Amino acid sequence: MNDTLDIPADIARAVISPKAYAEDAPVHEAFAWLRANNPLGKATVEGIYPFWIVTRHADILEISRQNELFRSGEMPTTFTTIEGDQIVRKMTGGSPHLLRTLVQMDAPDHAKYRVLTQSWFLPQNIRKLEDRIRQIARAHVDHMASLGGECDFVNDVALTFPLRVILEILGVPPSDEPRMLRLTQELFGAADAELNRSRAETGDAAANLGELQAVVADFFMYFKTITDARKAAPGADLATVIANGKIDGAPINDFEAMSYYVIVATAGHDTTSSSTAGAVWGMCQFPEAFAKVKADPSLIPGLIDEAIRWVTPVKHFMRSATADTEVGGRAIAKGDWLWLAYPSGNRDEAVFEAPAAFRPERSPNRHLAFGYGAHLCLGQHLAKMEMRILFEELMPRLKSLEFAGPATRAEANFVGGPKRLPIRYQMA
Ligand code: HEM
């Protein structure tokens, strides 16, 4: 490790560039360089508040674990420019967040809101959904079989499968699925000209944020109808739990209930579809992985974990320090902003042997794609259950699998993964 704190400008640019994630190699090369030379260094980029980039597995865990010392509420939880931050604060009257969801909350509020739905997400509760999820999975596998041996696995299977599951959980009817898919992509793909609302290259922070605000307003309008319906006639779904939730004995307010729907609808969808597509991408790129899982279906849970590690669909979350402290030998000052580089932690050579390889048999697989500490992904059991069921349905029928054209990734430095995955296959 060198002694200088400063990260070279080209390396910092690769870490924050949505395009570098689409190309994949530049960002992983930048992370490998950082882990070897400056694992917790300071990035100074024009137009952006100075920030630390945390690249080692151990340091990411260390920071995530101390959620009082490293908080989520005071600074933007996802990366933005100074101009972007100022625009949001102007729009919100001072808050750096357009939404108020669990990921933007700290103690004491965070626990109060998390507990509302925590038990709903526990394995013993979501197990009840297994039969219904299997029906949805089977329909997707049947659809894939009907496509004549070639498809774009992202658009034909991976996008709609977790979307249908999460929307059922939220009580959204199938007819509104395209609208929800569009809104989620617009929210996360604001920088990707093919996914954002105006379908434009967006270098302009004000235009990007204006678009995002309109997307959020659409989400809110949509979920307001659902909240009103669940208040009038409660059911057994998650939407009912949220709509009728109480905080400190008082009913949850509309803004916070809407924010809750938005986080579940968005967090539960693109992440899972990217990981699902990543499992197929991994088996195309590493045919021996496909052969191993075919030969031994007990490797399916390993396939799932490896796909989530390999893709790491959540590229970062930010934290800010509430006091002067030290991590990884670096003095962090009160107010400092930190980028937790999950894809880097998940390729840390100190934890993973041959980290760039795709190995369903990897065990243990201590990836940190779901984060760690108080904000540890609420939907992790659901995500893994959905993926397990899909591959339990798919693998026995899949006789062969290969790329059928160039696969591409989304341009996204927050949530992203495969965007197109043309495959050729034989199915029973
Ligand atoms: C492979 C799929 C998924 C990945 C990789 C993933 C990743 C993450 C990460 C990295 C965090 C932040 C953790 C932190 O700050 O320490 C998170 C939080 C969260 N995730 Fe997931 N997620 C996935 C699927 C889901 C699903 C299916 C749902 C819900 C249906 C969900 C709901 C949430 C919620 C509500 C939070 C906020 C928790 C909190 O702040 O307390 N996620 N997820």
Side-chain angles (χ1 to χ4, degrees), residues 2-64:
N2 65 15
D3 292 331
T4 161
L5 293 181
D6 298 328
I7 291 174
D10 58 327
I11 299 274
R13 281 211 190 86
V15 171
I16 62 178
S17 154
K19 280 197 166 58
Y21 290 84
E23 290 167 20
D24 201 47
V27 80
H28 282 298
E29 281 160 21
F31 285 141
W33 187 92
L34 287 168
R35 286 192 303 274
N37 297 288
N38 193 357
L40 214 171
K42 197 133 201 203
T44 314
V45 180
E46 208 194 322
I48 290 161
Y49 301 120
F51 62 103
W52 297 92
I53 303 180
V54 188
T55 55
R56 269 198 307 225
H57 191 275
D59 294 337
I60 296 172
L61 294 188
E62 181 64 14
I63 291 169
S64 307

Side-chain angles (χ1 to χ4, degrees), residues 113 269 407:
Y113 285 82
H269 165 220

Side-chain angles (χ1 to χ4, degrees), residues 64 72 77 101-105 110 114 117 120-121 166 169 238 260 263-265 267-273 275 308 312-314 316-317 319 340 342 367-380 382-384 386-387:
S64 307
S72 304
T77 333
T101 75
L102 289 179
V103 288
Q104 285 97 14
M105 291 182 187
H110 175 255
R114 187 167 163 118
T117 58
W120 194 92
F121 279 106
I166 201 70
I169 286 170
L238 183 64
Y260 224 126
I263 179 110
V264 172
H269 165 220
D270 252 15
T271 49
T272 313
S273 60
S275 306
I308 296 170
T312 310
V314 178
H316 78 273
F317 267 112
R319 297 285 196 270
L340 304 180
Y342 301 122
H367 70 74
L368 40 71
F370 291 117
Y372 191 64
H375 291 279
L376 176 68
C377 177
L378 203 50
Q380 62 163 326
L382 178 64
K384 290 206 264 192
E386 287 176 55
M387 291 176 68

Side-chain angles (χ1 to χ4, degrees), residues 289-308:
F290 176 62
K292 278 182 187 159
V293 182
K294 276 294 296 171
D296 179 4
S298 75
L299 283 177
I300 287 175
L303 169 74
I304 304 314
D305 263 320
E306 182 66 343
I308 296 170

Side-chain angles (χ1 to χ4, degrees), residues 264-346:
V264 172
T266 55
H269 165 220
D270 252 15
T271 49
T272 313
S273 60
S274 292
S275 306
T276 304
V280 169
W281 186 318
M283 290 192 287
C284 289
Q285 193 173 326
F286 295 84
E288 67 278 12
F290 176 62
K292 278 182 187 159
V293 182
K294 276 294 296 171
D296 179 4
S298 75
L299 283 177
I300 287 175
L303 169 74
I304 304 314
D305 263 320
E306 182 66 343
I308 296 170
R309 180 193 74 87
W310 201 61
V311 173
T312 310
V314 178
K315 309 303 177 193
H316 78 273
F317 267 112
M318 308 295 295
R319 297 285 196 270
S320 62
T322 54
D324 293 352
T325 183
E326 199 197 293
V327 180
R330 297 296 200 210
I332 310 286
K334 180 176 178 184
D336 279 2
W337 204 32
L338 301 101
W339 169 297
L340 304 180
Y342 301 122
S344 175
N346 280 344

Side-chain angles (χ1 to χ4, degrees), residues 243-259:
N244 297 288
K246 290 212 161 82
I247 303 292
D248 292 332
I252 188 170
N253 74 38
D254 274 354
F255 177 68
E256 284 164 347
M258 296 317 135
S259 295

